[in-house]
Every structure is written in structure tokens, then in C-alpha cells.
Amino acid sequence: FAPKSASLLNFFLHLFPLDWLKNIVIVKTSEALEAQGKPALMFGEFLRYIRLWLLMATLSGWSRDDFWSVDAFDQRSNACPFNFRGFMRKTRFNDITRELRFTDDDKPSFVDKFWEVRQMIREWNKNVAAVFISSWISCLDETMSIWHNRWTCPGWVFCPRKPHPFGNEYHSVCCAVTGIMWGIELVTGKDRPSELGRPMYDELGKTVGLLLRMLEPVFHTGRYIVLDSGFCVLRGIVELRRRGVFACAPIKKRRYWPTLVPGDAMERHFSTMNVGEVDAIEGSLDGISYTLWGMKEPNYIMRMMATGGPLTATPKCKHTTRRVENSTVAFQYTCPYDWHFRYRHAVDDHNNLRHGLPSLEDTWVTVRWPVRVFTFLLALTETNLYLALRFFVYVGAQKKHLPKYLDFRRNLAWAFIDNPHLPKEPAEPLSPFFTQLVDHTLQTAPPHARIYMNRKWVTDAKTRYPQFTCSVPLCKKTIRTYCACTPGVWLCVDHMIEHAVGEARKEKPHSLN
């Protein structure tokens, strides 16, 4: 997977598509910033930017402005415990957020609401497939990305059975042993443009095509896939078996029984059996063998379709009990049922970690839907990293040192700044005058600030952002900025350099006489 000695930051960048981040996101965002007259975005600066979001996502109850508060810290006032003014200016942070870009693909001539995120999702899947090898068994289920406004969200769905029912639905596959998510596909629905044609493998059926696209990275590996009941299409698991992948899905009757499933005949067959007994029907479709399993439950028959696995129990299979009338029946699961009940929650467990409040998706409030997809991928990677540490690093005697998930997320956020392996962008050489300017920075007055008196701002102005005239004679600019060395003396950005150089030369600038 990765060296156990790797830092949290290196682990994260190992799981995230780094080439796409450097060559697409940073380059295109820099171009957008420079077009607005802003400085270009560097790799180290972008890591710090992500780090600020990750830290904000470990707290709840504070607004984004609170993290750049200019007030002195007072724990009795319930002040925000983090202050980011020493890491990045608030205006720079907002500039980067506003100009984020995620693709270098040209906008198509037809209407495609997903064109900005297709490359992002594709690169994330490609990177995980390149750096992670799943175990012998995986679980395929659904994942939700929260978005409440259906009119600004392509592919928006309402899924009432989910804890977060509004937003985008992703088909997701997780390694059932480690819990790491290694593949996703966005449900586009009717918003998919017809100009793109049918998705790959869809000529075999929509569900069959979805299964083949999701599991293509493990073709011809003999992996075993635990499927949700929504994928109980016999043709699907047969096509997977044809490509060297074994699968199993519970059978549920909706309006009718799935094709080639004799559900009523199975009901009659199990009517005389005892609770816990199992039996199977073998069949063949296009030359591929499959099995329909059944297990007697007190009130129903637990049916499953599969193309692999023995109908016997091993010593590792779980023992369980059922309540039948006034007695308790004890029995042992056979392999297919043991695997199903043991591993079917892999995707749900991953989702529970990611959605646990405070979460990145709840903290990063945005009106740009592509940004939400980006935060979704960041949150997936964050959860994958924690699960990787839990399985690969904190093993044996080290398991007791595994941090809680929230503590891990906070440590990861700080690692983006404090890690010694963080690439450093070369700094431009400073002139002798500017080597002394470390205490002279341009600051912005807090909201409602009217005057600086007795070492604090008087914030009783009627307007939230009152404007003042620059203190330099003949300069008529209206501003709210000042130098950190002289709060209350209004100074525009054009005269800030003159003021700072004068201080470095031990001379008082004529403009402040």
C-alpha cells in the first residue's frame, strides 16, 4: 500500500490523484486568478488552503468569518479556538474558493451538466485503482453526497431510505476487509446527455452494464463481490462470472420475482423445513453455472443468487439464534450467508464515518455544485486514509494507539502545514530594505469598526463596512485597511510599500506627518 513510515500528508497524497491536482486544478485555478489580477496559485499554498478547510471541518458552531477574527482571544466569549490570519489572508482564501477549476476539458457544444466533474471522478477512480489492491471480497452499494437544492444539482435524487436522502447518489464499491472505497460512479439519470451515447456495457442491460463498469478493475482476479438487493439480476452475476468475478446478491420480490428465480416454488420447498436449514438450486445460463440459495427464517425465506461459494459452514462462520414461538433455535451460518451478513455493511460503515458531524461536506458551504463534488472526493480520501491506517499501520500492539476519527482528522489538517516533507516553493529574494518588513502587513478593519482607541477597535458604526479616506495627503481612495504597526491610521495598498520602506530606513514617511 505505502511505507508505514510515511507521513499523514504523504499518505493522503498517495490516495488522492496528485497529478490531476497539480496539472489541472492548480494550473487552471492559477489562470483564473491571474485573469482577475491576482497572484498565481502555488502547490504549497493550495495545500495550506485545503488544510484550513480540513481544520474548519473539525469544529461546528462558528462561521467562516470567525476563523479570521481580529478580536483578542477570550475563552469566556466562546471565541473560535483557531485563527487563520497567520496562515492565509481571508481575501486570498476567498479568491481561491471563488476561482477553483477542476478540468481542462473544453466545454462541449451540447448541454452536458456534468462536464466539469467527469475528469475529476475519472482521475480519482484511476488513482485508487493504481495504488490500492483490494482483498478477496468487496461490497457494492450506494453512497449519498448531500445537496438540498434540486434545481442546482445535476442528477439530484431523493432516496428516503438513506440517512441523508437529498443530493447525488453514487454507486460505490468498498474492500470489505479494510473498508477502503476503491470505485465510484455518479448516478446521472435523465440528466445524462443523449449525445454521449449509451454507457459502456449498457447493451446488456442497465444493471448489468453498471456492474461491469464498476467492477472492471477486478476482472479475471477471482474476487468475490457482496451485492445489494438492488443488483439481484441473474444476468449480471453471470456476466461477472464470465469475466472472472464471483458475486452474490440477496433476492427480493418487488412486483415480480427476478427473471429465472422460481420464488414461489422455493417457498413451497422450504415450507416443511426447520429454521436455519439451507438448500440450493443449481442452474446454467449461457453456459455459466449459478446457484440459488435459500435459508429458512422464522417468517420468510432468505434467498440469494450467486456464482461462487460452498453451501457448507467452516469453523469461522458465525453462530446465531432465532426465536421461534416459545423456544430458541441455534444454528451456524453457511459460507454464503456468513459472508453476506459479515461484509454487507462495508459501504455503510464508510458512509457513517464520512457523514459523522462535524463533516467536511457540511462545513464547506457552497453554491457551486462542482465544488461539492470536489469536497465529496476529499472526504472520501480522508476516510480512506483513516481506514488504511487502522488496517495497515495500527496493528497488533499498536492498535490501542489508533486515534479517534475526529482527532485523526485534526492531525491530518495540521500535517498539511507542519509536515517536513511538504514541498516548499522557492521564495523570491528580498531587497535589503524588505528584510526588515516582517512586522508591516496590510490589515482590514473588522465589521462596524469606526476608530481604534485604547488598544481596541470601537465597533459601533451603523454600517457593517464603513469607508475611510487614506491618510496620505492628496490620496482620495476610500478604504478600510491599515498597517499592523499603526492601527487606526488608514492606509491604502498603494502607499503601504512607501510606509514600510520608510520604517525600515528609520525614517517617518512624509505622508504620515
Side-chain angles (χ1 to χ4, degrees), residues 144 156-160 165-167:
M144 293 296 295
W156 187 89
V157 299
F158 169 59
C159 193
F166 304 103

Side-chain angles (χ1 to χ4, degrees), residues 385-405:
L385 175 54
Y386 181 75
L387 296 171
L389 293 176
R390 186 176 70 180
F391 187 84
F392 293 104
V393 178
Y394 291 93
V395 295
Q398 295 293 324
K399 194 171 184 178
K400 61 182 179 181
H401 300 297
L402 177 69
K404 299 296 184 182
Y405 187 52

Side-chain angles (χ1 to χ4, degrees), residues 439-441 482-487 499 503:
D439 294 326
H440 297 283
T441 57
Y482 61 93
C483 181
C485 69
T486 54
H499 160 73
E503 290 294 318

Side-chain angles (χ1 to χ4, degrees), residues 265-281 292-302 311 324-325 329 331 337:
M266 295 178 71
E267 190 78 29
R268 292 191 297 270
H269 177 73
F270 279 93
S271 61
T272 59
M273 289 188 175
N274 298 322
V275 172
E277 289 191 86
V278 296
D279 206 347
I281 302 173
L292 302 179
W293 292 321
M295 182 179 71
K296 182 64 178 296
E297 293 279 2
N299 301 318
Y300 65 97
I301 310 300
M302 176 65 178
L311 197 61
V324 181
E325 296 179 353
V329 177
F331 60 95
Y337 291 95

Side-chain angles (χ1 to χ4, degrees), residues 308-416:
L311 197 61
T312 57
T314 66
K316 293 183 179 180
C317 291
K318 180 182 177 181
H319 291 265
T320 186
T321 60
R322 296 290 189 273
R323 188 71 177 174
V324 181
E325 296 179 353
N326 296 325
S327 62
T328 300
V329 177
F331 60 95
Q332 187 180 17
Y333 286 135
T334 54
C335 285
Y337 291 95
D338 180 69
W339 297 341
H340 172 76
F341 289 118
R342 188 186 299 270
Y343 299 118
R344 65 177 178 173
H345 294 295
V347 175
D348 291 335
D349 292 342
H350 193 286
N351 295 338
N352 289 337
L353 275 177
R354 179 173 56 88
H355 282 305
L357 296 177
S359 68
L360 183 60
E361 291 175 272
D362 279 296
T363 302
W364 194 328
V365 179
T366 179
V367 295
R368 291 179 57 200
W369 176 74
V371 174
R372 173 47 48 88
V373 179
F374 181 63
T375 62
F376 172 71
L377 296 182
L378 284 176
L380 287 186
T381 306
E382 187 181 56
T383 305
N384 277 350
L385 175 54
Y386 181 75
L387 296 171
L389 293 176
R390 186 176 70 180
F391 187 84
F392 293 104
V393 178
Y394 291 93
V395 295
Q398 295 293 324
K399 194 171 184 178
K400 61 182 179 181
H401 300 297
L402 177 69
K404 299 296 184 182
Y405 187 52
L406 186 59
D407 294 332
F408 152 78
R409 294 175 58 210
R410 193 170 288 121
N411 293 338
L412 174 64
W414 284 112
F416 274 73

Side-chain angles (χ1 to χ4, degrees), residues 44-101:
E45 184 183 19
F46 190 70
L47 290 181
R48 289 192 290 269
Y49 170 81
I50 295 299
R51 172 258 182 190
L52 300 185
W53 275 118
L54 294 178
L55 266 184
M56 281 191 280
T58 62
L59 298 172
S60 60
W62 287 278
S63 67
R64 189 185 305 180
D65 293 340
D66 292 335
F67 290 90
W68 277 270
S69 175
V70 296
D71 298 330
F73 180 80
D74 182 2
Q75 61 181 359
R76 292 175 296 180
S77 65
N78 196 31
C80 180
F82 295 137
N83 194 299
F84 296 156
R85 295 173 64 202
F87 299 107
M88 181 178 291
R89 292 182 58 189
K90 179 182 174 183
T91 54
R92 179 62 173 174
F93 182 87
N94 292 335
D95 288 341
I96 297 174
T97 303
R98 183 172 55 253
E99 302 299 339
L100 279 175
R101 301 293 186 271

